[in-house]
Amino acid sequence: MKKYGELIQFEPVISNIELEDSEDYDKAKSLVSSYVISEKMSQKLSNIIIEQLQYEEFVDNKALWIVGNYGSGKSHLMSVLSAIAEFPDLAESITNKEVRESAKRIAGKFKVIRFEIGATTMALTDIITANLTEGLAKMGIDFQFPPMSEITSNHKTYFEKMMAVFHKKYPEQGLLFVCDEMLDYFRSRNEQQLPLDIAILRVIGEVIGDTRFRFVAGVQEAIFDSTKLEFLSKEVRRIRDRAEQVLIAREDIKFVIAERLLKKDAQQQAWVRQYLQKFTPYYEKMNERLDEFVRLFPVHPDYINTFENIRMAGLEQRQVLRSLSRQMKALMDQDVPEDIPGIFSYDTYWEELRTEPSMRTNPEVGQVIDTAETLIDRVEQAYPVAGEKEFAKRLVAGLAIHRMAVGDIYSEIGATATELRDSLCLYLKNIEILPGDKSKNLETQIVSVLGKIRNTVNGQYFSKNRTNDQFYLDLKKTEDFDAHIEQKASTLADDSINSAYRAAMLEILEQTDTQQSHTAMWQHELKWIEKNINRPGWLFLGSPNERETAKPPLDYYMYFIQPE
């Protein structure tokens, strides 16, 4: 059997990329050559980003807002753009042919000022003008913006004057102003401060249309859709009209992982495909997603999807990428298993989540960790089938991560046995010997294990939504009364169960006096709606073959048969 290292051309993703790294030519060249470009990102780069940055052909140039979560490659993309714009020969290092050709329109045609907004209480206008002044000074250009108190209208005139001074020294070039981590700054501003902050962005958008000044900003979410700015909807619309948002999609992130962490040549892909095909009957959509499984092997595609949905503080996507890198590094010398799918999914992040002290600083994350640890400890101590214990702990770990991906950790939203089977690539040894549908057999076994987990923990912190069969960690459920009832019922003799069932039905049906001696039979009436009259009949607790003939005979019998 092959080792994982024989199937993957592994390149770890460990360090964070700082925007200012692209100021250094050697670092910039490395950043450009290592940037992996998906087909969709290729189109965005050529048709939107480069089109908006170039100034040799007339278009309605606008500001660019790069939107991507932590770990999405946002800072890498912005570093690549600024490097190409500043260093003319770096366009040749671009890995995508179409983008390489398109990038010639901006290669080396800009002077670049880069900055990140840190922890500050300064107004955005002051931050921007200070960084512009400092950046221009490094180029040997002396330009000062007047203080806010001396400006009677807005800054547009001064930006135009700045560009006029800039062109005296660099008549053939544009000025690219690149800013990262802007969203955190906006989150720190109050409703009195934000209007002025927004105003300078509107000015920048207007200046871009008339000059060779260009602006690129990086944010973690679409800023124009932020609820924090709802009270400034009119002003935000004016900025949006002068801006292009470029979203780094989940597919782009998967492409980066496939091409950097998990790159495979054609021969390696063929081996992985053949290996996975024997497991496709066990998973509902693996066969139709086989290309994706092959490209990302041994990482489950849903690993990325799940973490895309996590928005809790302390769980950033870049941490997940680092985790993937560490897991892959540990796997490289291990054999790919023959009898189970050698795929790992989001449940494997549990151990890292549990052992990282900083994760517990977020109260919600901490509560999920504490709850899952309680359940896993209980499974370790009391789960009834030793051979299924690790499988059961995987299910709890998967549900713990899933709990943080649904938005509200207290909601009754979870995952069905089918979803858990497919999203975690769960597999029980010897499941293949069972007759019938393989995926259904595996689902049935998972339901069985989930039931045993619930019994093991007495239902504490573990629930099933009966309307949709979703299982989830129930963080508020310290007592499971249904489980107590089931446990009590399992110890009762048949006669006791019959008596309890009869008493419950009598209370529900509001019947008190029997109408037939020695039988569980009561007189009853049903309304005949069309005739507006009542028809008499008999209620009977039991099956038809158990009843005696009622006297007097009436119009109908209604049977309540005790469930199995």
Side-chain angles (χ1 to χ4, degrees):
M1 201 63 180
K2 288 186 179 292
K3 296 184 182 296
Y4 283 100
E6 298 177 72
L7 299 170
I8 300 159
Q9 300 163 38
F10 174 62
E11 179 185 346
V13 176
I14 300 295
S15 60
N16 295 332
I17 292 175
E18 302 291 340
L19 183 59
E20 293 182 354
D21 289 344
S22 57
E23 292 180 354
D24 179 89
Y25 178 84
D26 291 332
K27 290 181 180 179
K29 186 174 183 179
S30 175
L31 288 168
V32 174
S33 62
S34 64
Y35 186 66
V36 178
I37 303 173
S38 69
E39 183 177 347
K40 287 186 178 180
M41 182 53 71
S42 169
Q43 295 172 1
K44 292 173 185 176
L45 280 163
S46 298
N47 301 334
I48 300 176
I49 296 176
I50 293 173
E51 179 74 6
Q52 290 298 328
L53 289 177
Q54 65 81 34
Y55 52 74
E56 293 184 340
E57 295 180 18
F58 176 77
V59 295
D60 186 17
N61 295 95
K62 300 176 181 179
L64 286 167
W65 292 80
I66 310 297
V67 183
N69 294 324
Y70 291 117
S72 65
K74 168 178 57 66
S75 296
H76 197 170
L77 171 58
M78 295 173 67
S79 297
V80 167
L81 291 174
S82 63
I84 294 168
E86 184 169 13
F87 303 112
D89 60 323
L90 290 190
E92 295 302 319
S93 299
I94 297 173
T95 56
N96 182 281
K97 182 180 178 181
E98 289 75 15
V99 177
R100 189 187 313 130
E101 187 63 29
S102 180
K104 293 177 181 178
R105 303 171 71 190
I106 64 169
K109 296 185 178 180
F110 288 88
K111 291 295 180 180
V112 182
I113 298 174
R114 306 165 177 85
F115 76 103
E116 295 182 4
I117 300 182
T120 179
T121 58
M122 288 177 64
L124 184 60
T125 299
D126 293 335
I127 295 172
I128 288 174
T129 55
N131 277 279
L132 282 170
T133 298
E134 182 182 346
L136 290 170
K138 291 179 180 178
M139 302 175 197
I141 299 172
D142 182 19
F143 183 84
Q144 300 289 330
F145 287 88
M148 286 281 289
S149 58
E150 297 180 12
I151 295 178
T152 56
S153 57
N154 61 42
H155 278 75
K156 184 175 181 180
T157 300
Y158 300 100
F159 271 87
E160 291 169 345
K161 289 180 179 179
M162 176 193 73
M163 290 306 296
V165 174
F166 172 81
H167 284 307
K168 286 181 180 179
K169 185 163 186 178
Y170 300 104
E172 303 299 324
Q173 290 189 288
L175 179 61
L176 176 60
F177 193 48
V178 187
C179 172
D180 203 2
E181 309 298 350
M182 187 171 276
L183 185 63
D184 288 339
Y185 171 78
F186 278 120
R187 286 172 174 163
S188 71
R189 307 292 281 170
N190 60 41
E191 292 190 3
Q192 287 72 43
Q193 297 164 332
L194 279 170
L196 285 176
D197 296 334
I198 293 296
I200 190 65
L201 296 177
R202 177 173 57 81
V203 169
I204 287 175
E206 293 172 355
V207 170
I208 288 171
D210 301 326
T211 69
R212 290 183 180 179
F213 181 77
R214 299 291 182 266
F215 178 67
V216 179
V219 289
Q220 287 79 47
E221 61 185 52
I223 193 169
F224 304 129
D225 302 324
S226 172
T227 55
K228 189 174 178 66
L229 300 178
E230 283 179 344
F231 74 102
L232 292 170
S233 57
K234 182 179 179 180
E235 290 83 352
V236 169
R237 279 197 301 271
R238 293 175 70 181
I239 300 172
R240 187 198 294 268
D241 291 341
R242 300 301 313 156
E244 286 281 358
Q245 289 192 118
V246 179
L247 177 66
I248 300 177
R250 178 184 298 166
E251 289 74 17
D252 297 319
I253 300 168
K254 285 185 177 180
F255 188 84
V256 171
I257 292 172
E259 293 299 312
R260 283 196 63 187
L261 264 73
L262 310 170
K263 188 174 179 63
K264 306 173 186 70
D265 60 29
Q267 189 174 2
Q268 290 168 325
Q269 288 191 32
W271 192 95
V272 172
R273 183 179 299 276
Q274 184 177 2
Y275 167 75
L276 289 178
Q277 278 175 335
K278 64 183 178 182
F279 296 108
T280 56
Y282 296 93
Y283 307 102
E284 197 169 278
K285 295 183 179 179
M286 180 183 276
N287 196 47
E288 63 185 72
R289 298 175 66 190
L290 194 56
D291 287 344
E292 189 178 15
F293 272 91
V294 170
R295 285 191 299 108
L296 289 170
F297 180 83
V299 178
H300 195 300
D302 288 348
Y303 192 118
I304 314 302
N305 299 351
T306 299
F307 279 95
E308 184 76 7
N309 295 327
I310 292 177
R311 294 290 182 268
M312 293 185 179
L315 274 179
E316 298 173 357
Q317 201 164 47
R318 59 185 167 200
Q319 291 175 316
V320 178
L321 293 177
R322 290 187 210 137
S323 177
L324 280 177
S325 292
R326 285 191 286 268
Q327 290 183 68
M328 283 308 308
K329 191 173 182 179
L331 277 178
M332 297 306 283
D333 293 328
Q334 295 184 25
D335 291 331
V336 178
E338 293 187 46
D339 52 351
I340 62 172
I343 293 173
F344 65 87
S345 191
Y346 57 85
D347 61 297
T348 60
Y349 188 67
W350 161 252
E351 193 60 28
E352 189 162 339
L353 179 72
R354 182 186 69 82
T355 55
E356 175 53 56
S358 64
M359 295 298 184
R360 297 177 189 265
T361 58
N362 181 305
E364 291 189 344
V365 176
Q367 189 175 0
V368 173
I369 292 174
D370 291 342
T371 299
E373 281 187 329
T374 299
L375 295 177
I376 289 175
D377 287 345
R378 186 63 184 156
V379 167
E380 177 63 34
Q381 295 169 11
Y383 190 82
V385 183
E388 295 176 354
K389 191 175 289 186
E390 292 304 315
F391 188 88
K393 289 194 283 188
R394 272 197 71 188
L395 282 167
V396 175
L399 288 172
I401 301 299
H402 190 278
R403 178 77 290 179
M404 294 182 288
V406 296
D408 180 2
I409 64 171
Y410 302 111
S411 65
E412 295 183 2
I413 300 174
T416 64
T418 300
E419 290 167 342
L420 289 168
R421 177 198 66 198
D422 294 345
S423 66
L424 299 179
C425 259
L426 295 168
Y427 192 88
L428 278 167
K429 289 186 178 181
N430 299 321
I431 193 74
E432 66 277 1
I433 66 176
L434 296 178
D437 185 282
K438 296 182 183 300
S439 63
K440 194 65 180 177
N441 289 341
L442 185 52
E443 178 189 347
T444 301
Q445 292 299 312
I446 292 169
V447 171
S448 173
V449 173
L450 288 165
K452 292 172 189 172
I453 293 172
R454 180 170 175 252
N455 292 336
T456 300
V457 301
N458 292 325
Q460 186 180 30
Y461 300 128
F462 195 85
S463 289
K464 177 183 178 181
N465 188 327
R466 297 184 184 277
T467 61
N468 54 23
D469 292 330
Q470 291 181 347
F471 295 86
Y472 61 96
L473 299 194
D474 194 338
L475 306 186
K476 294 182 178 180
K477 187 179 181 183
T478 56
E479 290 284 341
D480 186 352
F481 297 106
D482 288 339
H484 290 318
I485 291 169
E486 290 173 9
Q487 287 183 345
K488 178 67 175 177
S490 67
T491 64
L492 295 176
D494 289 343
D495 288 345
S496 298
I497 294 175
N498 290 338
S499 297
Y501 172 71
R502 173 175 169 170
M505 289 304 302
L506 290 180
E507 184 172 343
I508 292 169
L509 297 170
E510 298 181 349
Q511 300 290 343
T512 54
D513 299 323
T514 182
Q515 302 297 310
Q516 292 284 307
S517 59
H518 310 298
T519 63
M521 192 177 295
W522 291 263
Q523 202 163 19
H524 187 257
E525 286 188 347
L526 284 175
K527 189 167 187 174
W528 188 356
I529 296 176
E530 292 177 353
K531 303 292 186 181
N532 196 29
I533 60 173
N534 290 335
R535 302 299 299 269
W538 293 100
L539 295 183
F540 180 67
L541 299 185
S543 59
N545 62 348
E546 295 175 325
R547 74 165 177 82
E548 300 175 359
T549 301
K551 295 179 181 179
L554 299 177
D555 292 346
Y556 65 86
Y557 290 102
M558 185 182 297
Y559 300 98
F560 289 86
I561 301 173
Q562 183 174 332
E564 295 293 333

